[in-house]
Amino acid sequence: MNRIHLCAAALMVVAPAASASAQPPPDAVEQAAIRLGPVGINPSIVVRDLGIDDNVFNESQNPKRDFTFTLTPRADVLFRAGRVRTTITTATDYVYYETYESERGTNQLASVRFDIDLGRLQPYATASGANTRERLNREVDARARHRTMTYTGGLSVRIASRISVGAAARRTTMRFDEGTSFRGVALDESFDSRTDAVEGSFDFELTPLTTLRLVGERAEQTFDLQPSRNSRSYRLGPMLTFSPLGLLNGSASVAYRRFEPNDPSLVPYSGLVAHVGLTALIVSRHKLETAFNRDVQYSYEREAPYYLSTGGSVTWTTQLTSTFDVRLTGGRQRLQYRGDVQELGADTFTSYGGGVGVRLAHRIRLGLDALRTERQSERAAEREYRSQRLFASFTWGASS
């Protein structure tokens, strides 16, 4: 599964715009599961994907089956000292495959954030990284070791009771292990890069739970081994952020983006992009989770260096009793490839499924889910595959 990296990719785009409001609430330490003076700790353990993977390598012909599971211990540590608030998150995936030992491995993810409360001035700094063999995204099926690091620094200034302005700078690096490849293409040549971005923002608090933000950003991506892939990007647009304290929480943004490859033979992209991640509580027993993303992404392919990814997912959960819940989920994503001509064909991913869960205690949940995934391609038949999975999960932690 690649849900960690799907989330990470979305956050790298949205987080700079939301960074000034992403810090934990002032009482986060008091609400932590474990309290040690000024330190709060929220530990969790997740066992997911416990079952049979009937297409380990996402192959169109002769798919391989194997028993697998992933164990993830995680800890969120919150520390407050005077005007400084620190948030540290660390997690490790232990991935097991019974037969195909090449797919086993560990994934480490960590982040730290510092917030300083100076009244009208709110400076912050973040650092996050991953050392992982999770699939990079839906396009690249290889579980190849790669490392990402993101550093961000910024400042928010309150100029009126409900108005703030902000500025931030961000650097992101990605490195694949030498020798890793997918369909004969070296992944370090396709993806090893550095992205530098600066942004400015204007925030207006519509209500105590809702903030409207206007964000402008300029980014430049430089590739280590293929300078011809270098590009510049500009985006401008509004974003709505909803507090977790309300019935609707999350964020939604729409922006105009201009993506300019340095290679004059490639067609630039100009148009709307969007990032949505919203959760709504309905009549207390129902929860609707929606995600939608539309943006330009780099491809591993040489003849189609980038694609426009458009798609999302919807999950509906109903709490039947205080113990049992049921959920239905569905999603669709389309990758429209581009190169020296406007359209080079598309790949489409469709998934749907559902499951049941039982809450054994306040912080313990067991789940059983079924999921069907299909990839269709206009580019080549060997890119297509189908998988059907029945898997269990176990969650212990503050958010279970």
Side-chain angles (χ1 to χ4, degrees), residues 102-181:
S102 64
E103 304 309 290
R104 299 177 187 174
T106 59
N107 309 314
Q108 294 87 34
L109 301 102
S111 66
V112 60
R113 177 180 176 115
F114 300 97
D115 292 278
I116 305 176
D117 185 356
L118 300 178
R120 290 182 178 271
L121 302 179
Q122 301 285 325
Y124 61 90
T126 69
S128 62
N131 182 347
T132 176
R133 293 187 70 245
E134 282 283 333
R135 288 167 171 150
L136 178 65
N137 49 35
R138 282 193 179 272
E139 185 201 32
V140 179
D141 289 325
R143 295 181 177 91
R145 175 71 61 185
H146 58 283
R147 299 161 183 82
T148 59
M149 283 296 303
T150 300
Y151 302 96
T152 304
L155 175 69
S156 177
V157 182
R158 185 171 293 277
I159 59 176
S161 60
R162 300 168 66 183
I163 299 175
S164 299
V165 295
R170 181 181 79 256
R171 168 168 288 187
T172 300
T173 60
M174 176 176 291
R175 300 287 183 269
F176 274 84
D177 279 0
E178 186 177 355
T180 57
S181 64

Coordinates of all heavy atoms in Angstrom, one line a residue, residues 102-181:
S102 N 12.2 -10.2 -0.8 CA 12.7 -8.9 -1.3 C 11.7 -7.7 -1.0 O 12.1 -6.6 -1.0 CB 12.8 -9.0 -2.8 OG 11.5 -9.3 -3.4
E103 N 10.5 -8.1 -0.7 CA 9.5 -7.0 -0.4 C 9.5 -6.6 1.1 O 8.8 -5.7 1.5 CB 8.1 -7.4 -0.8 CG 8.0 -7.8 -2.3 CD 8.6 -6.8 -3.2 OE1 8.0 -5.7 -3.3 OE2 9.7 -7.0 -3.7
R104 N 10.2 -7.4 1.9 CA 10.3 -7.0 3.4 C 11.1 -5.8 3.5 O 11.9 -5.4 2.7 CB 10.9 -8.2 4.2 CG 10.1 -9.5 4.1 CD 10.8 -10.6 4.9 NE 10.2 -11.9 4.7 CZ 10.7 -13.0 5.2 NH1 11.9 -13.0 5.9 NH2 10.1 -14.2 5.0
G105 N 10.9 -5.1 4.7 CA 11.7 -4.0 5.0 C 11.2 -3.1 6.1 O 10.1 -3.4 6.7
T106 N 11.9 -2.0 6.3 CA 11.4 -1.1 7.3 C 11.3 0.3 6.7 O 12.1 0.6 5.8 CB 12.4 -1.0 8.5 OG1 13.7 -0.6 8.1 CG2 12.4 -2.4 9.2
N107 N 10.4 1.1 7.2 CA 10.2 2.5 6.8 C 10.3 3.4 8.0 O 9.5 3.1 9.0 CB 8.9 2.7 6.0 CG 8.7 1.7 4.9 OD1 9.6 1.4 4.1 ND2 7.5 1.1 4.9
Q108 N 11.1 4.4 8.0 CA 11.2 5.3 9.1 C 10.7 6.7 8.7 O 11.1 7.2 7.6 CB 12.6 5.4 9.7 CG 13.2 4.2 10.3 CD 13.8 3.3 9.3 OE1 14.4 3.7 8.3 NE2 13.8 2.0 9.5
L109 N 9.8 7.3 9.5 CA 9.3 8.6 9.3 C 9.5 9.4 10.6 O 9.2 8.9 11.7 CB 7.9 8.6 8.8 CG 7.6 7.8 7.5 CD1 7.0 6.5 7.9 CD2 6.7 8.6 6.6
A110 N 9.9 10.7 10.5 CA 10.0 11.5 11.7 C 9.8 13.0 11.3 O 10.1 13.4 10.1 CB 11.4 11.3 12.3
S111 N 9.4 13.8 12.2 CA 9.2 15.2 12.0 C 9.3 15.9 13.4 O 9.0 15.4 14.4 CB 7.9 15.5 11.4 OG 6.8 15.2 12.2
V112 N 9.7 17.2 13.3 CA 9.8 18.0 14.5 C 9.4 19.4 14.1 O 9.6 19.9 12.9 CB 11.2 18.1 15.1 CG1 12.2 18.6 14.0 CG2 11.3 18.9 16.3
R113 N 8.6 20.1 15.0 CA 8.2 21.5 14.7 C 8.3 22.3 15.9 O 8.1 21.9 17.0 CB 6.7 21.4 14.3 CG 6.1 22.8 14.1 CD 4.7 22.8 13.6 NE 4.2 24.2 13.6 CZ 3.8 24.8 12.4 NH1 3.8 24.2 11.3 NH2 3.4 26.1 12.5
F114 N 8.8 23.5 15.7 CA 9.0 24.5 16.8 C 8.1 25.7 16.5 O 8.1 26.3 15.4 CB 10.4 25.0 16.9 CG 11.4 23.9 17.2 CD1 12.1 23.3 16.2 CD2 11.6 23.4 18.5 CE1 13.0 22.3 16.4 CE2 12.5 22.4 18.7 CZ 13.2 21.8 17.7
D115 N 7.3 26.1 17.5 CA 6.5 27.3 17.4 C 6.8 28.2 18.6 O 6.9 27.8 19.7 CB 5.0 27.0 17.5 CG 4.5 26.2 16.2 OD1 4.2 26.9 15.2 OD2 4.4 25.0 16.3
I116 N 7.0 29.5 18.3 CA 7.3 30.5 19.3 C 6.2 31.5 19.3 O 5.9 32.2 18.3 CB 8.7 31.2 19.0 CG1 9.8 30.1 18.9 CG2 9.0 32.2 20.2 CD1 11.1 30.7 18.5
D117 N 5.6 31.7 20.5 CA 4.5 32.7 20.6 C 5.1 34.0 21.1 O 5.4 34.2 22.3 CB 3.5 32.2 21.6 CG 2.2 33.1 21.7 OD1 2.2 34.1 21.1 OD2 1.3 32.7 22.5
L118 N 5.2 35.0 20.2 CA 5.6 36.4 20.5 C 4.5 37.4 20.4 O 4.8 38.5 20.0 CB 6.8 36.7 19.6 CG 8.1 35.8 19.7 CD1 9.1 36.2 18.7 CD2 8.6 35.7 21.1
G119 N 3.3 37.0 20.7 CA 2.2 37.9 20.6 C 1.7 38.0 19.2 O 1.3 37.0 18.6
R120 N 1.9 39.1 18.6 CA 1.5 39.3 17.2 C 2.4 38.5 16.2 O 2.0 38.2 15.1 CB 1.5 40.8 16.8 CG 0.4 41.6 17.5 CD 0.5 43.0 17.0 NE -0.6 43.8 17.6 CZ -1.8 44.0 17.0 NH1 -2.1 43.4 15.9 NH2 -2.8 44.7 17.6
L121 N 3.6 38.3 16.6 CA 4.6 37.5 15.8 C 4.6 36.0 16.2 O 4.7 35.7 17.4 CB 6.0 38.1 16.0 CG 6.2 39.6 15.6 CD1 7.7 39.9 15.9 CD2 5.8 39.9 14.2
Q122 N 4.4 35.2 15.2 CA 4.4 33.7 15.4 C 5.4 33.0 14.5 O 5.0 32.5 13.4 CB 3.0 33.2 15.1 CG 1.9 33.8 16.0 CD 1.9 33.3 17.4 OE1 2.2 32.1 17.6 NE2 1.6 34.1 18.4
P123 N 6.7 33.0 14.8 CA 7.7 32.3 14.0 C 7.6 30.8 14.2 O 7.1 30.3 15.3 CB 9.0 32.9 14.4 CG 8.8 33.3 15.8 CD 7.3 33.8 15.9
Y124 N 8.0 30.0 13.2 CA 7.9 28.6 13.3 C 9.0 28.0 12.4 O 9.5 28.6 11.5 CB 6.5 28.0 13.0 CG 6.1 28.3 11.6 CD1 6.4 27.4 10.5 CD2 5.4 29.5 11.3 CE1 6.0 27.7 9.2 CE2 5.0 29.8 10.0 CZ 5.3 28.9 9.0 OH 4.9 29.1 7.7
A125 N 9.4 26.7 12.7 CA 10.3 26.0 11.9 C 9.9 24.5 11.9 O 9.5 24.0 13.0 CB 11.7 26.2 12.3
T126 N 10.1 23.8 10.8 CA 9.8 22.4 10.8 C 10.8 21.6 10.0 O 11.5 22.2 9.1 CB 8.4 22.1 10.1 OG1 8.5 22.4 8.7 CG2 7.3 23.0 10.7
A127 N 11.0 20.4 10.4 CA 11.9 19.5 9.6 C 11.2 18.1 9.6 O 10.7 17.6 10.7 CB 13.3 19.4 10.2
S128 N 11.1 17.5 8.5 CA 10.5 16.2 8.4 C 11.3 15.3 7.4 O 11.8 15.9 6.4 CB 9.0 16.3 8.0 OG 8.9 16.9 6.7
G129 N 11.3 14.0 7.6 CA 12.0 13.2 6.7 C 11.5 11.8 6.7 O 10.7 11.3 7.6
A130 N 11.8 11.0 5.6 CA 11.4 9.6 5.5 C 12.5 8.8 4.9 O 13.2 9.3 3.9 CB 10.1 9.5 4.7
N131 N 12.8 7.6 5.4 CA 13.7 6.7 4.8 C 12.9 5.4 4.6 O 12.6 4.7 5.5 CB 14.9 6.4 5.7 CG 15.9 5.5 5.1 OD1 15.6 4.8 4.1 ND2 17.1 5.4 5.8
T132 N 12.4 5.2 3.3 CA 11.4 4.2 3.1 C 11.5 3.4 1.9 O 12.1 3.9 0.9 CB 10.0 5.0 3.1 OG1 8.9 4.1 2.9 CG2 10.0 6.1 2.1
R133 N 10.9 2.2 1.9 CA 10.7 1.4 0.7 C 9.3 1.4 0.2 O 8.9 0.6 -0.7 CB 11.2 0.0 0.9 CG 12.7 -0.1 1.1 CD 13.2 -1.5 1.2 NE 13.2 -2.2 -0.1 CZ 12.4 -3.2 -0.4 NH1 11.5 -3.7 0.5 NH2 12.4 -3.7 -1.6
E134 N 8.4 2.2 0.8 CA 7.0 2.3 0.3 C 7.0 2.8 -1.2 O 7.9 3.5 -1.6 CB 6.2 3.2 1.1 CG 5.8 2.7 2.5 CD 4.6 1.7 2.3 OE1 3.8 1.9 1.4 OE2 4.5 0.8 3.2
R135 N 6.1 2.3 -1.9 CA 5.9 2.8 -3.3 C 5.8 4.3 -3.3 O 5.1 4.9 -2.5 CB 4.7 2.2 -4.0 CG 4.9 0.7 -4.3 CD 3.7 0.0 -4.7 NE 3.9 -1.4 -5.2 CZ 3.1 -2.4 -5.1 NH1 1.9 -2.2 -4.5 NH2 3.4 -3.5 -5.6
L136 N 6.5 4.9 -4.2 CA 6.5 6.4 -4.3 C 5.2 7.0 -4.5 O 4.8 8.0 -3.9 CB 7.5 6.9 -5.4 CG 7.6 8.4 -5.6 CD1 8.2 9.0 -4.3 CD2 8.4 8.7 -6.8
N137 N 4.4 6.4 -5.4 CA 3.1 6.8 -5.7 C 2.4 5.7 -6.5 O 2.9 4.6 -6.6 CB 3.1 8.1 -6.6 CG 4.1 8.0 -7.7 OD1 4.2 7.0 -8.4 ND2 4.7 9.1 -8.0
R138 N 1.2 6.0 -7.1 CA 0.5 4.9 -7.8 C 1.2 4.6 -9.1 O 1.1 3.5 -9.6 CB -0.9 5.4 -8.1 CG -1.9 5.3 -7.0 CD -3.3 5.5 -7.5 NE -4.3 5.4 -6.4 CZ -4.9 4.3 -6.0 NH1 -4.5 3.1 -6.6 NH2 -5.8 4.2 -5.1
E139 N 2.0 5.5 -9.7 CA 2.6 5.2 -11.0 C 3.7 4.2 -10.9 O 3.9 3.3 -11.7 CB 3.1 6.5 -11.6 CG 3.7 6.4 -13.0 CD 4.6 7.5 -13.4 OE1 5.3 8.0 -12.5 OE2 4.7 7.7 -14.6
V140 N 4.6 4.4 -9.8 CA 5.8 3.6 -9.7 C 5.5 2.4 -8.7 O 5.3 2.6 -7.5 CB 7.0 4.4 -9.2 CG1 8.2 3.6 -9.0 CG2 7.2 5.6 -10.1
D141 N 5.4 1.2 -9.3 CA 5.0 0.1 -8.5 C 6.2 -0.5 -7.7 O 6.0 -1.4 -6.8 CB 4.4 -1.0 -9.4 CG 3.0 -0.6 -9.9 OD1 2.3 0.1 -9.1 OD2 2.7 -1.0 -11.0
A142 N 7.4 -0.2 -8.0 CA 8.6 -0.8 -7.3 C 8.7 -0.3 -5.9 O 8.5 0.9 -5.6 CB 9.9 -0.4 -8.1
R143 N 9.0 -1.2 -5.0 CA 9.2 -0.8 -3.6 C 10.7 -0.5 -3.5 O 11.5 -1.4 -3.2 CB 8.8 -1.9 -2.6 CG 7.3 -2.1 -2.6 CD 6.9 -3.2 -1.6 NE 5.5 -3.4 -1.5 CZ 4.8 -4.2 -2.3 NH1 5.4 -5.0 -3.2 NH2 3.5 -4.3 -2.2
A144 N 11.1 0.7 -3.9 CA 12.6 1.1 -4.0 C 12.9 2.0 -2.8 O 12.2 3.0 -2.6 CB 12.8 1.7 -5.3
R145 N 14.1 1.8 -2.2 CA 14.5 2.6 -1.1 C 14.8 4.0 -1.5 O 15.5 4.3 -2.5 CB 15.8 2.0 -0.5 CG 16.4 2.8 0.6 CD 15.6 2.8 1.9 NE 15.4 1.5 2.4 CZ 14.7 1.2 3.5 NH1 14.0 2.2 4.1 NH2 14.6 -0.1 3.9
H146 N 14.1 5.0 -0.9 CA 14.4 6.4 -1.1 C 14.3 7.2 0.1 O 13.6 6.8 1.1 CB 13.5 6.9 -2.2 CG 12.0 6.8 -1.9 ND1 11.3 5.6 -2.0 CD2 11.1 7.7 -1.5 CE1 10.1 5.8 -1.7 NE2 9.9 7.1 -1.4
R147 N 14.8 8.4 0.1 CA 14.9 9.3 1.3 C 14.4 10.7 0.9 O 14.8 11.2 -0.2 CB 16.3 9.3 1.9 CG 16.8 8.0 2.3 CD 18.3 8.0 2.5 NE 18.8 6.7 2.9 CZ 19.0 5.7 2.0 NH1 18.8 5.9 0.7 NH2 19.5 4.5 2.4
T148 N 13.6 11.2 1.7 CA 13.1 12.6 1.5 C 13.3 13.4 2.7 O 13.2 12.9 3.9 CB 11.6 12.6 1.1 OG1 10.8 12.0 2.2 CG2 11.3 11.9 -0.2
M149 N 13.6 14.7 2.6 CA 13.8 15.6 3.7 C 13.1 16.9 3.3 O 13.3 17.4 2.1 CB 15.3 15.8 4.0 CG 15.9 14.7 4.8 SD 15.2 14.5 6.4 CE 15.4 16.1 7.2
T150 N 12.4 17.5 4.2 CA 11.8 18.8 4.0 C 12.1 19.7 5.2 O 11.8 19.4 6.3 CB 10.3 18.7 3.8 OG1 10.0 17.8 2.7 CG2 9.6 20.0 3.6
Y151 N 12.6 20.9 4.9 CA 12.8 21.9 5.9 C 12.0 23.2 5.6 O 12.0 23.6 4.4 CB 14.3 22.3 5.9 CG 15.2 21.2 6.2 CD1 15.9 20.5 5.1 CD2 15.5 20.8 7.5 CE1 16.7 19.5 5.4 CE2 16.4 19.7 7.7 CZ 17.0 19.1 6.7 OH 17.8 18.0 6.9
T152 N 11.3 23.7 6.6 CA 10.5 24.9 6.4 C 10.7 25.9 7.5 O 10.8 25.5 8.7 CB 9.0 24.5 6.3 OG1 8.8 23.5 5.3 CG2 8.1 25.7 6.0
G153 N 10.8 27.1 7.2 CA 10.8 28.2 8.2 C 9.9 29.3 7.8 O 9.7 29.6 6.6
G154 N 9.1 29.9 8.7 CA 8.2 30.9 8.4 C 7.8 31.8 9.5 O 8.2 31.6 10.7
L155 N 7.0 32.8 9.2 CA 6.6 33.8 10.2 C 5.2 34.2 9.9 O 4.9 34.5 8.7 CB 7.5 35.0 10.2 CG 7.2 36.2 11.1 CD1 7.3 35.8 12.6 CD2 8.0 37.4 10.8
S156 N 4.3 34.3 10.9 CA 3.0 34.8 10.7 C 2.9 36.1 11.6 O 3.3 36.0 12.8 CB 1.9 33.8 11.2 OG 0.6 34.3 11.1
V157 N 2.3 37.1 11.0 CA 2.2 38.4 11.8 C 0.7 38.8 11.8 O 0.1 39.0 10.7 CB 3.0 39.5 11.1 CG1 2.9 40.8 11.9 CG2 4.5 39.1 10.9
R158 N 0.2 39.0 13.0 CA -1.2 39.4 13.1 C -1.3 40.9 13.1 O -0.7 41.6 13.9 CB -1.8 38.9 14.5 CG -3.3 39.2 14.6 CD -3.9 38.6 15.8 NE -3.9 37.1 15.7 CZ -4.8 36.4 15.1 NH1 -5.9 37.1 14.5 NH2 -4.8 35.1 15.0
I159 N -2.0 41.4 12.0 CA -2.0 42.9 11.8 C -3.4 43.5 12.3 O -3.5 44.7 12.3 CB -1.7 43.2 10.4 CG1 -2.8 42.6 9.4 CG2 -0.3 42.8 10.0 CD1 -2.6 42.9 8.0
A160 N -4.3 42.6 12.6 CA -5.6 43.0 13.1 C -6.2 41.9 13.9 O -5.6 40.8 13.9 CB -6.6 43.5 12.0
S161 N -7.3 42.0 14.5 CA -7.9 41.0 15.4 C -8.2 39.7 14.6 O -8.1 38.6 15.2 CB -9.1 41.5 16.1 OG -10.1 41.8 15.1
R162 N -8.5 39.8 13.3 CA -8.9 38.6 12.5 C -8.1 38.5 11.3 O -8.4 37.7 10.4 CB -10.4 38.7 12.2 CG -11.3 38.7 13.4 CD -12.7 39.1 13.1 NE -13.3 38.0 12.3 CZ -14.6 38.1 11.8 NH1 -15.3 39.2 12.0 NH2 -15.1 37.1 11.0
I163 N -7.0 39.3 11.1 CA -6.2 39.3 9.9 C -4.7 39.1 10.2 O -4.2 39.7 11.1 CB -6.4 40.6 9.1 CG1 -7.8 40.9 8.7 CG2 -5.5 40.7 7.9 CD1 -8.1 42.2 8.1
S164 N -4.1 38.2 9.4 CA -2.7 37.9 9.6 C -2.1 37.8 8.2 O -2.7 37.5 7.2 CB -2.5 36.6 10.3 OG -3.0 36.6 11.6
V165 N -0.8 38.1 8.1 CA 0.0 37.9 6.9 C 1.2 37.0 7.3 O 1.6 37.0 8.4 CB 0.5 39.2 6.3 CG1 -0.7 40.1 5.8 CG2 1.4 40.0 7.3
G166 N 1.7 36.3 6.3 CA 2.7 35.3 6.6 C 3.7 35.2 5.4 O 3.4 35.5 4.2
A167 N 4.9 34.6 5.7 CA 5.9 34.3 4.7 C 6.6 33.1 5.1 O 6.7 32.8 6.3 CB 6.8 35.5 4.5
A168 N 7.0 32.3 4.2 CA 7.7 31.0 4.5 C 8.6 30.6 3.3 O 8.4 31.0 2.2 CB 6.7 29.9 4.7
A169 N 9.6 29.8 3.7 CA 10.6 29.3 2.7 C 10.7 27.8 3.0 O 10.6 27.4 4.1 CB 11.9 29.9 2.8
R170 N 10.8 27.0 1.9 CA 10.8 25.5 2.1 C 11.9 24.9 1.1 O 12.0 25.3 0.0 CB 9.4 25.0 1.8 CG 9.3 23.4 1.9 CD 7.9 23.0 1.6 NE 7.7 22.9 0.2 CZ 7.0 23.7 -0.6 NH1 6.4 24.8 0.0 NH2 6.8 23.5 -1.8
R171 N 12.6 23.9 1.6 CA 13.5 23.1 0.7 C 13.1 21.6 0.9 O 13.1 21.1 2.1 CB 14.9 23.4 1.1 CG 15.9 22.3 0.4 CD 17.3 22.7 0.5 NE 17.6 23.9 -0.5 CZ 18.8 24.3 -0.7 NH1 19.9 23.8 -0.1 NH2 19.0 25.3 -1.6
T172 N 13.0 20.9 -0.2 CA 12.7 19.5 -0.1 C 13.7 18.8 -1.0 O 13.9 19.2 -2.2 CB 11.2 19.2 -0.7 OG1 10.3 19.8 0.2 CG2 11.0 17.7 -0.6
T173 N 14.3 17.7 -0.5 CA 15.2 16.9 -1.3 C 14.7 15.4 -1.4 O 14.0 14.9 -0.5 CB 16.6 16.9 -0.7 OG1 16.5 16.3 0.6 CG2 17.2 18.3 -0.7
M174 N 14.9 14.8 -2.5 CA 14.6 13.3 -2.7 C 15.8 12.6 -3.3 O 16.4 13.1 -4.2 CB 13.4 13.2 -3.6 CG 13.0 11.7 -3.9 SD 11.5 11.6 -4.9 CE 10.3 12.1 -3.7
R175 N 16.1 11.4 -2.7 CA 17.2 10.7 -3.2 C 16.8 9.2 -3.2 O 16.4 8.6 -2.2 CB 18.5 10.8 -2.2 CG 19.0 12.3 -2.1 CD 19.7 12.7 -3.4 NE 20.2 14.0 -3.2 CZ 19.6 15.1 -3.5 NH1 18.4 15.1 -4.0 NH2 20.2 16.3 -3.4
F176 N 17.0 8.5 -4.3 CA 16.8 7.1 -4.4 C 18.2 6.4 -4.3 O 19.2 6.9 -4.7 CB 16.2 6.7 -5.8 CG 14.7 6.8 -5.8 CD1 14.0 8.0 -6.0 CD2 13.9 5.6 -5.6 CE1 12.6 8.0 -6.0 CE2 12.6 5.7 -5.6 CZ 11.9 6.9 -5.8
D177 N 18.2 5.2 -3.8 CA 19.4 4.4 -3.8 C 19.9 4.1 -5.2 O 19.1 3.9 -6.1 CB 19.2 3.0 -3.1 CG 19.2 3.1 -1.6 OD1 19.4 4.2 -1.1 OD2 19.0 2.1 -0.9
E178 N 21.2 4.2 -5.4 CA 21.8 4.0 -6.7 C 21.5 2.5 -7.1 O 21.6 1.6 -6.3 CB 23.3 4.2 -6.7 CG 23.9 4.1 -8.0 CD 25.4 4.5 -8.0 OE1 25.9 4.9 -6.9 OE2 26.1 4.3 -9.0
G179 N 21.1 2.3 -8.3 CA 20.8 1.0 -8.8 C 19.4 0.6 -8.8 O 19.0 -0.4 -9.4
T180 N 18.5 1.4 -8.1 CA 17.1 1.1 -8.1 C 16.5 1.5 -9.5 O 16.8 2.5 -10.0 CB 16.4 1.8 -7.0 OG1 16.6 3.2 -7.1 CG2 16.9 1.3 -5.6
S181 N 15.5 0.7 -9.9 CA 15.0 1.0 -11.3 C 13.5 0.5 -11.3 O 13.1 -0.3 -10.5 CB 15.8 0.3 -12.4 OG 15.7 -1.1 -12.2

